[in-house]
Amino acid sequence: MPSVDIVIPCYNQGGFLPDSVGSVLGQQVDDLRILIVDNASTDGSAEVARQLASGDGRIELLLRSTNQGPHASFNAGVDWARSDYFLILCADDILAPGCLARAVNALQRHKEASFAFGGQLIWEADAPCPAMASANDDASCSVVGAEEFVGIFSLPHRPVGTGSILVRTTAQKQAGHYRPELYYTDDLEMLMRLAALGGAVRIDAIQGVRRRHGANISAANWGNWQRELREVWAAYASFFAHEGSALPWGPPLERKIRTNVANRAYWSAVSHRMRGLKAESVELMAFSRSLDPAATIIPPFAYWLRVENVGAFVTRRLREILAQRKPAHPRGPRDGSVPQKA
């Protein structure tokens, strides 16, 4: 069985750390190492990490005395890795049962691919852990070419479990370190770099569980589509300014993706306007115009031809709009007060 290295960066996630580590130790991988990198937590995470390491010799520790930022933890893990495969798992997330064996088998079958990915579930704060199917090594998989994968994030897409992606360590070493200037979308940009080295394997199974709570790094983007799309474009701009610029399909794909993101921002602006969110709509339209001025002159209807399962996507968005526009109390509050705008 190939060897696997797992890096678990941690900052003030001591309460979640045992679940994260436990989900790794429960995988069907004989040759396994775990490195917990604590970034000078103030909640006792380091002591939790020590206790976990004292009970299992496969766990190593890197306990920092000063907070060096998340990218220092990611990059320390990249430098530490020496096994056949490598994965970064945030301390508040968990791996799905059997996911490592599925990913290893997929990469063993598809030697050209740089990494394997699947779907993810969201675990909302204070809710029970979502139910997951039992381990299944026979999940179907398919190869996704580099050009196709790089374009995934520019359009609405099936969930990509970015926190449970298994990478060939040789590919990770070649791709290098995470770029600290990309605070929110550093993982997306890294996946583009890895994809450019050999494509990917999509596994038709849930590979990880992302725990969503108020302290997530990405929490500032939740529900803020203008910021979300700006951060996604920042990842693309970084990739195409570096590794992507040398690829034969890089420049034409960059133009296509620029149009996709601009069109996505345009229709998001329309959606926000329909919900009465005028300020957000104006910001989104301005961002769309900054990427593609033509999009705000002629409505980009062709965008919908590029959206996967467009009927289901539009229906879902219309339901969300109607739900937001429908008054919570059609006849007014029982106490006679004036309802406030959301």
Side-chain angles (χ1 to χ4, degrees):
M1 182 72 178
S3 56
V4 180
D5 284 340
I6 308 286
V7 174
I8 303 180
C10 179
Y11 177 68
N12 287 347
Q13 306 289 1
F16 301 141
L17 192 54
D19 287 342
S20 183
V21 172
S23 75
V24 176
L25 295 176
Q27 300 290 319
Q28 299 96 353
V29 176
D30 295 329
D31 193 348
L32 177 72
R33 293 194 309 155
I34 299 173
L35 175 65
I36 300 174
V37 183
D38 185 72
N39 205 14
S41 296
T42 59
D43 69 339
S45 291
E47 183 55 35
V48 174
R50 290 189 186 95
Q51 292 174 4
L52 292 168
S54 67
D56 197 303
R58 293 172 292 179
I59 302 175
E60 302 177 27
L61 303 178
L62 173 55
L63 308 179
R64 300 191 186 280
S65 59
T66 58
N67 188 329
Q68 298 182 24
H71 294 90
S73 299
F74 304 157
N75 293 333
V78 171
D79 293 337
W80 166 82
R82 66 166 186 262
S83 294
D84 299 308
Y85 298 106
F86 172 71
L87 185 149
I88 295 179
L89 176 67
C90 292
D92 48 355
D93 296 338
I94 63 173
L95 296 180
C99 75
L100 289 186
R102 283 193 294 270
V104 167
N105 289 339
L107 289 170
Q108 291 288 92
R109 292 197 301 271
H110 300 282
K111 301 291 188 180
E112 75 282 12
S114 297
F115 62 92
F117 71 100
Q120 70 175 8
L121 294 177
I122 300 298
W123 183 356
E124 297 288 356
D126 302 324
C129 181
M132 287 176 281
S134 58
N136 177 16
D137 294 341
D138 298 324
S140 62
C141 60
S142 56
V143 175
V144 182
E147 186 174 356
E148 178 185 353
F149 184 88
V150 169
I152 282 178
F153 303 103
S154 67
L155 292 168
H157 55 274
R158 283 186 283 169
V160 174
T162 54
S164 55
I165 288 177
L166 190 69
V167 183
R168 293 190 195 278
T169 302
T170 53
Q172 183 64 72
K173 298 288 189 180
Q174 187 176 349
H177 288 152
Y178 286 77
R179 293 185 170 124
E181 59 269 23
L182 295 170
Y183 191 72
Y184 293 103
T185 51
D186 52 347
D187 52 349
L188 303 187
E189 197 257 5
M190 176 57 76
L191 289 178
M192 295 177 203
R193 284 193 262 162
L194 289 166
L197 297 175
V201 180
R202 184 197 300 272
I203 301 170
D204 293 325
I206 296 299
Q207 289 291 97
V209 179
R210 181 184 179 198
R211 196 189 308 242
R212 191 157 60 184
H213 52 87
N216 292 105
I217 289 179
S218 58
N221 285 4
W222 295 345
N224 186 338
W225 279 103
Q226 190 263 145
R227 184 169 186 176
E228 172 82 14
L229 291 174
R230 283 186 181 276
E231 296 294 344
V232 168
W233 176 247
Y236 276 119
S238 175
F239 172 72
F240 286 116
H242 296 92
E243 294 79 5
S245 64
L247 298 169
W249 46 263
L253 183 61
E254 179 183 14
R255 292 190 292 271
K256 179 180 177 180
I257 287 174
R258 177 186 288 270
T259 299
N260 285 347
V261 177
N263 293 174
R264 195 173 175 185
Y266 176 94
W267 290 112
S268 184
V270 171
S271 172
H272 280 70
R273 176 72 70 165
M274 292 175 68
R275 284 176 279 179
L277 303 173
K278 183 178 179 180
E280 292 86 345
S281 176
V282 169
E283 290 179 351
L284 282 160
M285 196 63 76
F287 175 57
S288 175
R289 188 182 303 113
S290 71
L291 293 180
D292 183 8
T296 56
I297 298 173
I298 302 175
F301 293 110
Y303 165 82
W304 297 108
L305 300 176
R306 302 190 293 273
V307 176
E308 185 179 3
N309 297 321
V310 63
F313 177 79
V314 172
T315 299
R316 185 169 65 252
R317 285 289 181 264
L318 287 174
R319 286 175 178 169
E320 293 172 358
I321 291 170
L322 292 173
Q324 288 194 356
R325 291 180 67 87
K326 184 179 179 180
H329 302 283
R331 298 182 181 179
R334 292 179 182 270
D335 62 4
S337 61
V338 177
Q340 301 296 310
K341 291 184 179 180

